[in-house]
Amino acid sequence: MRRPAVRMMSVALVSFLLPLGMFLALRESGGFDPRLHAPIIHFYIVSGVSFLALLLAAALGYAGMRLRNFGIAFLSLAYVSMTGLLMLHGLATPGFLMDHNSVQGVSSQLGILAAAGWIWLSSLPAARRMVLRLGNASRWLAPAYTLLLLAFLVFSLQGPHTMHDWALDLQGSRPALTGLVLALLAHAAWSYARNYRSARMPLQLGILYGCGLLAAGQVVMVSGEPWRLSWWLYHVLLLLSLVSVAWGLGRQLAGSRGSLSAALRALYRSTPQEWLQKCISPSVEDLIEATEQKDGYTAGHNYRVALYALKLAEKLDLAPEQLLAIGQGAIVHDVGKLYVPEAILNKPAALSPEERQVVELHPVRGYELCRNLGFMRQELAVVRSHHERWDGTGYPDRLEAEQIPLTARIAAVADVYDALTSQRAYRRAMTPEQALAFIGAESGRHFDPACVAAWLELAEEEPEFFARMTEEDQRPLLGRSRAVPGSVPPLA
């Protein structure tokens, strides 16, 4: 990890260790740790924390639904958890509505555990299968989870004896639960620190500090003696963890002209390069490595096509799951060329009809390979159909117009643009202007007119992106092999 990320993690560690130091100092001081039995005050403090969690959950949930983003939705559910379970924690205050603290103990521990779990999920790459499965169920996940929390709240208040038994079970599991909470929050903090290093988003920083404060709250909760001054500290830490996230969100909003959607889109939908890193699963890594080892130029071409395709897909406002499909499909779209003999692949002259037939089998070969590796339908569509043409004269299936999957139509524009602007043994590379003119002329014949229109708009809005790819963009993606773009590239 680089120095800025180390600094961020160090500050997060301070936000964890400093409160623990205060807790230990109070607990060991004796006279400075009096017993403060104040059920009414406890109820109002916990209710305030719960209300702030509700505001955060509502803001994040609204934006998550509008942007159809998994990470935002999971972050929202973290604060839904704290809202419901801390509300129960407050209502179950001993001496307020109940005479024992079993419900209170269970609800506070479950609240922190659930929040830590959802925060951890929000930090994971969106290409993880678990994240994709939960994200695909996002339409019913939030309401179902909220109803589950409400049912648990009603059950807890009506069945305190059952909760008492659960509290006894939790008592023996506290060390394991604490270890789990700390592990989840440490991993989430690591991820947000690494992301903050490159993106510098205030909300990332707020979540990072919030993880440290929430982790400290877990330790104080399980170690403190109820109603002691030191025990009250964990309520303050829960509040501060929420304030930290709210502060980060406020700073993010201020930098996005007050638009919540824009602020969170910037957080979870960043540059194509970062999106592409999120798309790389173990299966994709293996294919990239195999491609690099056979031909470094093809690996660089795949990478650039994936970057271009993601840029175009964002312009078309595709959903996150479609962006992931395009990223994973485009980065291996030419993997079928592994089965093309090198004599054909690197031939500097025109191909014979027989050799052309061999090359035109590569989408099917790539499709079969990726299907056996467990790629999903939208990703497979990119691999199989990126050489289909809008007028039906492409290959391998002679699809036309909207029969061609949208992900493949997007990849086709990106694929041809990179091929035209790359040096060939049999021709010079076109300039970006020449390549854009060619793609514009092929609208409605080779390419989807909507994709071409969006591509040309992008060229006007971000000419520097099309003028050149940086050296970093043209290196093999994984850096595992020493392959570099060669002087005799294969047929695109």
Side-chain angles (χ1 to χ4, degrees):
M1 196 191 300
R2 296 177 184 174
R3 287 184 179 178
V6 172
R7 280 202 301 271
M8 292 303 100
M9 283 299 293
S10 299
V11 177
L13 193 60
V14 169
S15 71
F16 171 67
L17 294 176
L18 185 60
L20 288 188
M22 295 173 58
F23 166 72
L24 291 173
L26 281 173
R27 193 178 66 173
E28 300 301 323
S29 66
F32 292 99
D33 192 23
R35 183 177 175 82
L36 301 174
H37 187 271
I40 302 298
I41 294 176
H42 178 269
F43 170 77
Y44 284 118
I45 289 176
V46 173
S47 296
V49 176
S50 179
F51 181 70
L52 180 55
L54 176 62
L55 293 179
L56 275 174
L60 294 168
Y62 170 75
M65 286 188 294
R66 287 198 60 186
L67 298 177
R68 295 175 291 176
N69 187 280
F70 305 159
I72 301 170
F74 295 155
L75 200 58
S76 172
L77 289 176
Y79 299 112
V80 168
S81 302
M82 292 189 72
T83 297
L85 293 167
L86 288 177
M87 184 184 299
L88 176 60
H89 180 73
L91 292 173
T93 301
F96 185 67
L97 293 179
M98 295 185 168
D99 296 326
H100 52 80
N101 65 356
S102 57
V103 175
Q104 185 189 35
V106 171
S107 60
S108 58
Q109 178 59 82
L110 290 180
I112 293 179
L113 178 61
W118 288 115
I119 292 171
W120 172 70
L121 280 170
S122 78
S123 72
L124 294 179
R128 293 279 184 90
R129 289 196 180 277
M130 176 175 58
V131 176
L132 282 172
R133 286 174 181 172
L134 287 172
N136 290 334
S138 58
R139 289 185 178 180
W140 58 263
L141 182 61
Y145 185 70
T146 304
L147 288 174
L148 179 64
L149 286 176
L150 290 173
F152 181 76
L153 188 152
V154 173
F155 170 77
S156 301
L157 294 177
Q158 293 183 348
H161 297 294
T162 302
M163 296 298 292
H164 179 68
D165 295 336
W166 288 9
L168 292 177
D169 294 337
L170 276 178
Q171 192 69 27
S173 305
R174 278 188 163 187
L177 289 174
T178 298
L180 177 59
V181 167
L182 295 183
L184 291 172
L185 292 173
H187 187 276
W190 168 280
S191 297
Y192 279 108
R194 185 178 56 192
N195 293 338
Y196 180 77
R197 182 189 69 198
S198 58
R200 298 288 174 175
M201 301 286 182
L203 183 52
Q204 293 168 338
L205 191 60
I207 296 171
L208 176 61
Y209 294 159
C211 286
L213 292 164
L214 190 59
Q218 166 69 29
V219 175
V220 173
M221 180 187 69
V222 300
S223 305
E225 180 184 341
W227 301 117
R228 292 284 183 186
L229 180 60
S230 56
W231 173 83
W232 283 89
L233 181 60
Y234 98 81
H235 300 82
V236 177
L237 292 173
L238 295 186
L239 177 62
L240 289 177
S241 72
L242 293 170
V243 168
S244 175
V245 177
W247 167 84
L249 182 58
R251 290 286 302 274
Q252 191 97 3
L253 284 170
S256 303
R257 298 179 181 179
S259 169
L260 180 62
S261 295
L264 294 173
R265 183 183 287 111
L267 177 67
Y268 284 100
R269 228 192 223 190
S270 47
T271 66
Q273 289 89 340
E274 290 168 346
W275 255 109
L276 196 53
Q277 292 297 332
K278 293 179 181 179
C279 296
I280 301 172
S281 66
S283 297
V284 173
E285 286 186 354
D286 292 340
L287 289 180
I288 294 170
E289 183 177 12
T291 306
E292 286 183 1
Q293 288 174 349
K294 181 167 184 179
D295 184 68
Y297 181 87
T298 298
H301 168 70
N302 286 348
Y303 184 38
R304 293 191 298 276
V305 169
L307 291 177
Y308 286 133
L310 282 168
K311 195 79 171 176
L312 178 55
E314 281 201 305
K315 175 66 177 177
L316 292 169
D317 200 28
L318 267 63
E321 59 269 23
Q322 292 174 296
L323 289 173
L324 289 169
I326 287 173
Q328 294 223 90
I331 196 66
V332 294
H333 76 282
D334 272 345
V335 71
K337 289 183 178 177
L338 290 171
Y339 298 96
V340 178
E342 291 188 23
I344 297 177
L345 197 63
N346 294 316
K347 184 177 180 180
L351 299 178
S352 68
E354 293 77 15
E355 291 169 334
R356 169 67 64 179
Q357 287 180 353
V358 172
V359 171
E360 290 186 357
L361 281 175
H362 82 269
V364 176
R365 292 290 186 90
Y367 168 83
E368 292 170 350
L369 174 60
C370 292
R371 183 181 60 184
N372 292 336
L373 289 171
F375 279 63
M376 301 180 76
R377 180 175 56 84
Q378 288 184 313
E379 300 157 1
L380 292 171
V382 176
V383 178
R384 186 180 183 96
S385 302
H386 66 277
H387 281 296
E388 300 289 355
R389 295 171 59 106
W390 186 257
D391 61 8
T393 61
Y395 62 90
D397 301 309
R398 300 287 179 176
L399 302 177
E400 62 178 307
E402 293 186 358
Q403 292 177 338
I404 307 169
L406 176 58
T407 51
R409 285 179 259 154
I410 291 170
V413 174
D415 185 31
V416 171
Y417 179 82
D418 186 70
L420 293 175
T421 53
S422 298
Q423 192 74 18
R424 295 293 191 237
Y426 50 87
R427 63 159 172 81
R428 293 180 178 274
M430 288 187 182
T431 66
E433 293 76 16
Q434 290 171 327
L436 290 169
F438 176 88
I439 287 174
E442 287 295 308
S443 177
R445 289 196 294 269
H446 191 149
F447 306 115
D448 177 352
C451 291
V452 172
W455 188 252
L456 297 179
E457 284 181 20
L458 270 175
E460 291 183 4
E461 294 168 1
E462 302 183 45
E464 71 284 351
F465 181 80
F466 292 85
R468 59 182 173 81
M469 279 286 189
T470 64
E471 288 184 8
E472 181 179 359
D473 289 338
Q474 296 193 40
R475 287 184 304 204
L477 181 57
L478 296 182
R480 292 183 177 182
S481 70
R482 295 185 179 274
V484 295
S487 59
V488 185
L491 182 69

